[in-house]
Amino acid sequence: IMATLNATNLKHASSGSNNIVLAADGSTTISNLSGGVGKILQIQSTVLTGAQSTTSATYTDISGFNVNITPSATSSKILVQVAMRVSGIDEEAYLQMIRTVGGTATAIGNGTGGNHASFTQLVCWSAGNGYYDYHDVPFLILDSPNTTSAITYKLQWRRQQSSTLYLGRTGYSATASNYSGCSSNSITVMEVAG
């Protein structure tokens, strides 16, 4: 015999709260799983589709390359994932992730306090075809901001040598002013229940 039990929650007779909550969309929350630790609570993302460049030797923002998220609990972790394409000629790129909460900006992401992530000699001149080389750069950080205030995550970059860094270009001619298309670059943040 097949039967359906219609309910919105299930609880033990001696429990002071619902043990299993059944949502209208079919999802289930089980309270004894430490409040759903590891569950993705929300996702926010920004995608850049155009090309940018910098000749700055000091860290500067990548225009529009930021994303906002407001955690639902101080125990939440924020998983920050960046996918970007950087190119140049005989140049080194330095990148750093910045977390801003209430006007306070903090560099995050490495073992010495988040000064920068260095991609030494990231892009090199390729004499064979006269184009800048490019590299796809993955960036993944699990942050513990310990706040329920609004957070902005952004990426900054700087050059090391005396040339130009490019973001999003698939190829650039040394003798022409145009470039062969753009790649999209994204920054995605996920709130993970802690």
Side-chain angles (χ1 to χ4, degrees):
I1 295 175
M2 298 289 289
T4 300
L5 173 64
N6 293 311
T8 56
N9 58 72
L10 301 173
K11 65 184 289 293
H12 189 274
S14 63
S15 176
S17 61
N18 297 325
N19 302 122
I20 301 176
V21 178
L22 309 172
D25 64 1
S27 63
T28 304
T29 301
I30 303 175
S31 63
N32 66 351
L33 293 181
S34 301
V37 170
K39 180 179 180 180
I40 301 299
L41 302 179
Q42 62 171 310
I43 300 174
Q44 305 294 334
S45 185
T46 295
V47 177
L48 293 181
T49 56
Q52 295 188 43
S53 64
T54 186
T55 57
S56 176
T58 59
Y59 282 115
T60 57
D61 293 352
I62 299 173
S63 179
F65 208 32
N66 56 72
V67 64
N68 302 318
I69 190 169
T70 302
S72 58
T74 57
S75 59
S76 292
K77 309 283 188 186
I78 305 296
L79 184 64
V80 185
Q81 183 173 4
V82 174
M84 59 191 299
R85 176 167 286 179
V86 181
S87 59
I89 171 174
D90 291 327
E91 189 57 80
E92 299 174 55
Y94 287 80
L95 307 171
Q96 70 174 359
M97 180 66 64
I98 301 293
R99 178 218 304 135
T100 302
V101 181
T104 300
T106 305
I108 62 173
N110 71 21
T112 60
N115 296 325
H116 61 260
S118 169
F119 299 89
T120 302
Q121 203 63 23
L122 175 64
V123 285
C124 305
W125 176 248
S126 177
N129 57 24
Y131 279 76
Y132 287 77
D133 285 341
Y134 62 82
H135 285 254
D136 292 314
V137 182
F139 212 108
L140 189 66
I141 298 172
L142 184 62
D143 189 27
S144 301
N146 190 32
T147 185
T148 55
S149 297
I151 305 171
T152 298
Y153 289 95
K154 67 181 179 181
L155 208 65
Q156 295 182 327
W157 62 345
R158 70 174 176 86
R159 63 162 176 78
Q160 175 65 20
Q161 307 301 329
S162 58
S163 186
T164 303
L165 291 173
Y166 297 94
L167 174 70
R169 290 187 172 181
T170 56
Y172 185 86
S173 172
T175 58
S177 61
N178 65 338
Y179 55 91
S180 55
C182 296
S183 65
S184 61
N185 302 274
S186 65
I187 177 170
T188 301
V189 292
M190 293 173 273
E191 181 184 2
V192 182

